[in-house]
Amino acid sequence: MVTNPPQRKRIISDQEAENISRVEELAYEIKVREVMTSDLISFSPEIKMQEVLEVFRQKRISGAPIVSPLGDLIGIISMEDLIRCLVDMDVDSTINKYMTTKLITILPTDPVIEASKKFVSTNFGRLPVVDKDQKLVGMITKGDINRGLLRALETDYQEEEIRKYRASHLFEDIESDRTSLILRYQIQQGDFDIGGQASSNIKRALIRLGASKQIARRCGIAIYEAEMNLIIHTTEGGVLRVEIEPHQISIDAYDYGPGIKDVDLAMKPGYSTASDAVREMGFGAGMGLVNISRCVDQMKLESVWGKGSRLKMRLFLDSDHKNNESENQKS
Amino acid sequence: MNLGDLVKIVEGKVLTDLFDKNEIVLGGCGADLMSDVLASIEPGAVLLTGLCNPQVIRTAQMADVAAVVLVRGKIPPETTIDLANDEEIPLITSPFGMFELCGRLYKAGLPSLEKSVADQSDFGFE
């Protein structure tokens, strides 16, 4: 039957994956060998069509290869050929008369996308898989490809689950007086197209580490606003630094300029220095810092005009720190 | 309401590859200001918006938005559709305006999942 696919170790970054779907990708990664059927029902060239009919019915198959006593592939017989034979009421003639000998074959080492292309261009339902010596090693159908892709997607899903499981045990597995995981991201000024990518990665990391949906959401929103601030307001971008510990998440967003002239004014809801272009993108309404403060348990903004700014945020993960707006410290 | 029903009600066209018509939408929120969305939307809502840039999808992802409907028949740039595919956020475009869309969905029984931001002075920092 079908052999187990080898483990695919290739890790694809978000950027690489930008323009291709996972299924398309798998169609290039998976080889014909991994999805083909290799224990074949085959016929010898001298048998009668009556026997083909019986075998098709009993084994519930719709096509089979015809192989010479030496194992060479001679032809293919399909349901369509059988129907032609039945219409002619000619089941006593040999398979030779009805089999297709115009053969399109594929190599076991070809990616399944090649098989898909051949299915489309030839309209055939099955392709014989032959090795370099032209010996038949298997057959592949569209159904085999679909099953193979589904299985691979499932494996991907399981791998994500395992990754999540391993990550969530990270802190338990490592012994120290104080363990923390630090993630750092460089944020480029003005790079709106990939704006939010760091936040997206951080949110995914938190979920993998076993954070609750609420924590991941609050953290994601706060960091996203901070990331957009770095993109919109700084002279040369800045850094997002996230330190994850079992009991808290500390986030630092800092930049090297231009700094904020009046921090109190910047904290005021609705106050913004953003340009019209930024506003057209749905930002710059002076709500960013307000939003951040609602999502985190502690927040501190320091800035020196001409030097830069540093926004420190903290979320507590202990159960007695369940974030409610009312629990936020009042200024 | 599930996504399949929603698409019918808004007479929408699905722009993303991945689309599960059985996915449940808990409510709705309509806004063009992403900071407002981040501040006010509750998880599991459909976001109705006139904004088409990739930041809509990022916002949706951060705020656990169930689906995004672009109003007034807007077609977003490729980068937005690509990101929606990557992040598995269903993206739909509808020919109706924001007002009509909100009305149609509300009439069909979809509740609002938009919190008030009126208490915006009530925040604290160290």
Side-chain angles (χ1 to χ4, degrees):
Chain A
M1 274 313 287
V2 194
T3 48
N4 274 333
Q7 285 291 312
R8 276 173 294 283
K9 286 277 176 266
R10 220 175 110 217
I11 305 285
I12 294 141
S13 75
D14 283 5
Q15 256 167 321
E16 280 177 302
E18 218 165 30
N19 295 316
I20 33 174
S21 79
R22 186 67 188 131
V23 174
E24 284 170 307
E25 214 169 71
L26 285 169
Y28 284 93
E29 271 180 45
I30 301 175
K31 303 291 180 253
V32 166
R33 183 181 357 96
E34 296 171 37
V35 302
M36 70 181 191
T37 307
S38 47
D39 68 334
L40 294 175
I41 296 169
S42 61
F43 295 115
S44 60
E46 63 275 5
I47 67 150
K48 293 213 157 52
M49 286 304 282
Q50 178 66 40
E51 196 177 322
V52 174
L53 174 72
E54 291 303 321
V55 173
F56 274 21
R57 193 156 55 191
Q58 276 165 21
K59 305 281 185 189
R60 304 180 69 87
I61 56 172
S62 57
I66 296 115
V67 182
S68 77
L70 291 169
D72 293 319
L73 177 68
I74 308 173
I76 282 206
I77 190 89
S78 70
M79 194 60 94
E80 250 181 84
D81 303 323
L82 182 61
I83 290 169
R84 268 195 302 126
C85 163
L86 288 172
V87 170
D88 295 349
M89 291 193 288
D90 190 22
V91 289
D92 284 331
S93 67
T94 61
I95 203 169
N96 267 319
K97 189 171 166 190
Y98 288 98
M99 69 182 184
T100 308
T101 49
K102 195 190 109 202
L103 296 172
I104 308 276
T105 61
I106 191 150
L107 286 169
T109 47
D110 280 339
V112 297
I113 186 82
E114 286 304 321
S116 294
K117 281 184 199 159
K118 286 186 176 175
F119 282 135
V120 172
S121 63
T122 61
N123 229 355
F124 288 168
R126 57 178 48 67
L127 296 173
V129 185
V130 295
D131 62 14
K132 285 199 181 75
D133 305 322
Q134 293 300 307
K135 294 276 182 240
L136 181 70
V137 293
M139 292 287 283
I140 186 168
T141 63
K142 287 178 199 165
D144 290 335
I145 296 180
N146 287 342
R147 269 190 297 278
L149 290 176
L150 278 175
R151 202 174 46 222
L153 284 173
E154 223 165 75
T155 315
D156 273 10
Y157 174 73
Q158 280 166 0
E159 273 171 10
E160 172 64 24
E161 289 295 299
I162 291 168
R163 218 177 272 156
K164 212 162 147 181
Y165 175 81
R166 285 200 190 126
S168 64
H169 283 68
L170 182 72
F171 289 106
E172 290 162 32
D173 293 347
I174 296 166
E175 273 183 57
S176 84
D177 290 334
R178 189 173 166 186
T179 307
S180 67
L181 177 66
I182 297 175
L183 315 175
R184 292 182 187 82
Y185 301 85
Q186 293 285 340
I187 309 301
Q188 296 300 318
Q189 191 276 333
D191 205 345
F192 289 103
D193 279 348
I194 61 160
Q197 205 175 66
S199 314
S200 172
N201 287 332
I202 294 165
K203 189 178 179 189
R204 197 169 304 139
L206 289 173
I207 298 272
R208 276 190 186 152
L209 287 165
S212 71
K213 270 189 126 169
Q214 288 84 346
I215 289 286
R217 185 176 194 262
R218 282 168 48 204
C219 237
I221 292 176
I223 297 172
Y224 181 44
E225 290 280 14
E227 187 179 354
M228 290 312 287
N229 278 347
L230 291 176
I231 292 172
I232 296 169
H233 296 292
T234 58
T235 42
E236 49 188 295
V239 175
L240 276 174
R241 179 186 180 280
V242 183
E243 181 169 2
I244 303 161
E245 291 172 271
H247 65 291
Q248 66 178 21
I249 300 168
S250 317
I251 308 148
D252 243 4
Y254 55 92
D255 60 67
Y256 309 104
I260 301 167
K261 275 187 181 146
D262 186 336
V263 172
D264 286 339
L265 192 59
M267 290 298 295
K268 239 181 116 153
Y271 177 81
S272 178
T273 56
S275 67
D276 286 347
V278 166
R279 287 170 203 257
E280 270 166 33
M281 299 195 37
F283 286 88
M287 292 297 294
L289 291 169
V290 184
N291 271 353
I292 292 171
S293 72
R294 292 168 166 219
C295 288
V296 300
D297 295 310
Q298 280 179 3
M299 157 176 177
K300 192 175 182 181
L301 176 61
E302 293 166 335
S303 188
V304 177
W305 176 243
K307 284 247 166 87
S309 309
R310 181 173 213 120
L311 176 64
K312 289 177 158 193
M313 301 159 264
R314 189 167 286 166
L315 278 91
F316 299 112
L317 304 176
D318 317 9
S319 49
D320 54 333
H321 258 107
K322 278 254 162 64
N323 183 58
N324 291 315
E325 249 113 273
S326 59
E327 273 183 13
N328 271 358
Q329 299 171 353
K330 300 282 185 296
S331 56
Chain B
M1 183 180 291
N2 68 31
L3 273 185
D5 296 336
L6 182 135
V7 170
K8 271 184 215 145
I9 294 165
V10 306
E11 295 180 24
K13 188 176 155 231
V14 181
L15 302 172
T16 40
D17 302 334
L18 270 175
F19 180 77
D20 177 5
K21 63 177 173 23
N22 296 318
E23 204 180 308
I24 299 295
V25 177
L26 300 175
C29 169
D32 289 341
L33 191 59
M34 290 303 108
S35 285
D36 268 356
V37 176
L38 290 167
S40 68
I41 201 167
E42 296 187 57
V46 58
L47 170 63
L48 310 177
T49 186
L51 204 67
C52 290
N53 63 49
Q55 299 310 326
V56 172
I57 304 301
R58 284 288 178 222
T59 301
Q61 187 200 3
M62 290 307 146
D64 296 333
V65 166
V68 175
V69 177
L70 301 176
V71 306
R72 298 183 283 273
K74 288 193 179 188
I75 299 294
E78 277 299 311
T79 48
T80 302
I81 301 177
D82 290 345
L83 189 63
N85 276 323
D86 283 352
E87 301 298 348
E88 300 179 9
I89 306 275
L91 182 62
I92 298 152
T93 181
S94 163
F96 301 113
M98 176 78 93
F99 183 79
E100 168 141 18
L101 279 175
C102 293
R104 278 175 174 246
L105 290 169
Y106 194 78
K107 213 168 120 190
L110 195 71
S112 165
L113 275 186
E114 224 169 312
K115 277 186 303 197
S116 162
V117 287
D119 56 337
Q120 54 187 220
S121 58
D122 181 25
F123 65 89
F125 42 95
E126 283 177 335

